[in-house]
Amino acid sequence: MEKGMERIEKDLQDPVLAAYHEQFGRELRDQNALFERLSLQIYAAGLQWETIVKKMPAYRGLFYDYDVAKVAGMSPDELADQVDHYPDVIKNHAKLTATITNATVIKRLSAGETSFIDYLTSLLPEGLPVAGPRTELADLAVTISKQMKKDGFSFTGPSTVQVFLDSIGLFKPQRQAD
């Protein structure tokens, strides 16, 4: 058995990780669910994703179940007060602040009558999901990351964007023959 497959088998024995695996790659359209998934990928940057997945209940509590309007309205003082009530949250100020910044951008998009999913798909070539070798998807993720940053999103580097788009079913990486 391949090393990666052994790891997935082990993950599937943990109900929290199994639930995440079950949802990974399935198309999402709900704005709050998309916002949560983007945030999860941001929190996981530089860490083991399993750590963040297991801490998501605390993050959901901290960020009002990823209600975009509520999170966009959070002040720095409210974030500081709230974070003390959730000891399981990793206290990375830049990532926590990015959550509020990104909610604000998504709320602004909605006010302009563009849903978050429509915004994301507007950044992709026609024909969804986008399928191709990981290297091609990585190149596309660089372009999308630059546009997202230009549009005000925070902590959306190419790797984070690529995994995010994989996780919501917009990217479908294809295995390359050896």
Side-chain angles (χ1 to χ4, degrees), residues 58-86:
Y59 284 99
R60 285 184 193 107
L62 174 61
F63 289 115
Y64 303 106
D65 287 321
Y66 291 91
D67 180 301
V68 169
K70 287 181 182 176
V71 177
M74 288 178 77
S75 69
D77 288 340
E78 183 179 0
L79 176 61
D81 290 343
Q82 281 278 94
V83 81
D84 290 338
H85 298 291
Y86 297 94

Side-chain angles (χ1 to χ4, degrees), residues 19-36:
Y20 178 72
H21 272 288
E22 177 71 24
Q23 294 302 312
F24 192 93
R26 290 198 176 173
E27 187 177 315
L28 289 179
R29 298 200 71 75
D30 176 76
Q31 176 171 273
N32 293 342
L34 289 164
F35 173 48
E36 178 179 347

Side-chain angles (χ1 to χ4, degrees), residues 34-150:
L34 289 164
F35 173 48
E36 178 179 347
R37 190 66 61 87
L38 173 62
S39 299
L40 182 150
Q41 301 312 329
I42 290 169
Y43 308 147
L47 302 170
Q48 293 292 323
W49 65 268
E50 298 94 331
T51 301
I52 300 303
V53 169
K54 289 182 176 184
K55 292 178 179 287
M56 283 310 288
Y59 284 99
R60 285 184 193 107
L62 174 61
F63 289 115
Y64 303 106
D65 287 321
Y66 291 91
D67 180 301
V68 169
K70 287 181 182 176
V71 177
M74 288 178 77
S75 69
D77 288 340
E78 183 179 0
L79 176 61
D81 290 343
Q82 281 278 94
V83 81
D84 290 338
H85 298 291
Y86 297 94
D88 284 349
V89 167
I90 296 171
K91 312 300 191 279
N92 182 314
H93 184 73
K95 290 180 180 182
L96 297 177
T97 303
T99 305
I100 297 170
T101 300
N102 294 339
T104 304
V105 174
I106 295 168
K107 184 179 176 188
R108 187 182 71 232
L109 289 169
S110 306
E113 299 187 21
T114 300
S115 69
F116 188 28
I117 190 67
D118 287 343
Y119 167 79
L120 292 169
T121 58
S122 76
L123 301 175
L124 299 171
E126 287 188 42
L128 295 172
V130 177
R134 282 206 178 275
T135 53
E136 287 178 23
L137 298 177
D139 292 343
L140 183 53
V142 169
T143 303
I144 293 168
S145 169
K146 287 178 184 176
Q147 186 60 51
M148 288 180 78
K149 287 179 181 180
K150 217 183 274 188

